[in-house]
Amino acid sequence: MAVKIRLARHGRKASPFYHIVAADSRRSRDGKFIEKIGTYNPTTNPATVELNFDRALYWLEVGAEATDTARSILKHEGVLYMKHLKGGVKKGAFDEKALEAKFQAYKDAQTKKAEAEAKKTKSNAEAVAKKKLEEELEINKQREAKIAEKNAALAAAEEAKKAEEAAAAAESAEEAPAAEATETPAE
């Protein structure tokens, strides 16, 4: 029986969630499996992986082959590196203490790398947000300038209209006494 470590899809449409399973390679993707060794949720940022490290290592040591995606997950979690180190212990290249030290150094490097990536992503997001804010402020300034121009034009038009009305009122006031003056001698 050929055993594969692979992903079994669960979740709803457009929202996948995977179980990492050890299964007979002849079974269907979501069918019967031998053992569930973890879960993988690609919809979170960063993707969430919960893995039973010891059982995954066991299945690799007894000859299970991982599919491409499962292999990348196992590599990211350090299972493949631990298998590699255990092979070195079996050959006598180093002892268990060296294995633990090397694996701990590997995990520390992975943690630093993940933190740097998260920091980079956060700074990029902040830069994009700052740029959008500056663009929005510029648009608001332009909009305010247009409104101020429009209000100034309306105020100038109203002033002109009031001046015309005042001139017309003054003109009619001048004409009214002249008309009264012409009417009074005619009596």
Side-chain angles (χ1 to χ4, degrees):
M1 171 170 78
V3 176
K4 290 235 181 224
I5 296 176
R6 64 181 178 202
L7 302 179
R9 191 178 197 279
H10 293 275
R12 62 176 196 255
K13 187 187 340 181
S15 181
F17 182 83
Y18 298 94
H19 290 182
I20 303 169
V21 297
D24 184 354
S25 64
R26 297 169 288 187
R27 293 279 184 179
S28 65
R29 177 192 74 182
D30 300 333
K32 193 173 179 182
F33 55 86
I34 300 168
E35 182 180 5
K36 176 182 167 187
I37 57 177
T39 60
Y40 169 61
N41 186 359
T43 59
T44 61
N45 187 12
T48 307
V49 177
E50 294 177 13
L51 185 68
N52 185 337
F53 190 88
D54 296 331
R55 293 307 292 170
L57 185 61
Y58 165 78
W59 281 109
L60 287 174
E61 288 177 340
V62 296
E65 292 183 16
T67 60
D68 293 337
T69 307
R71 185 182 305 112
S72 70
I73 291 170
L74 295 175
K75 182 178 179 183
H76 184 266
E77 294 297 311
V79 177
L80 293 178
Y81 187 63
M82 180 60 91
K83 180 183 178 220
H84 171 73
L85 291 176
K86 283 197 171 193
V89 170
K90 286 180 185 175
K91 292 178 184 176
F94 47 87
D95 62 347
E96 287 287 329
K97 280 189 175 182
L99 176 137
E100 291 299 324
K102 286 184 178 192
F103 187 70
Q104 189 59 41
Y106 172 79
K107 288 302 278 183
D108 291 342
Q110 287 292 94
T111 303
K112 286 181 183 177
K113 184 179 177 183
E115 288 173 357
E117 187 67 31
K119 186 177 180 181
K120 181 180 175 185
T121 303
K122 184 178 178 182
S123 66
N124 286 346
E126 288 174 353
V128 168
K130 186 176 179 181
K131 183 180 177 184
K132 284 184 179 181
L133 179 63
E134 290 172 357
E135 289 175 357
E136 188 173 330
L137 289 174
E138 183 63 32
I139 290 170
N140 287 345
K141 285 180 184 177
Q142 291 174 355
R143 190 174 295 144
E144 287 173 2
K146 286 182 182 178
I147 291 171
E149 287 176 17
K150 190 175 184 181
N151 288 341
L154 288 174
E158 286 209 19
E159 287 291 326
K161 187 175 180 183
K162 285 181 183 177
E164 286 178 14
E165 288 176 1
E171 227 177 75
S172 62
E174 288 176 8
E175 289 178 7
E180 289 177 10
T182 52
E183 290 177 15
T184 45
E187 287 180 24

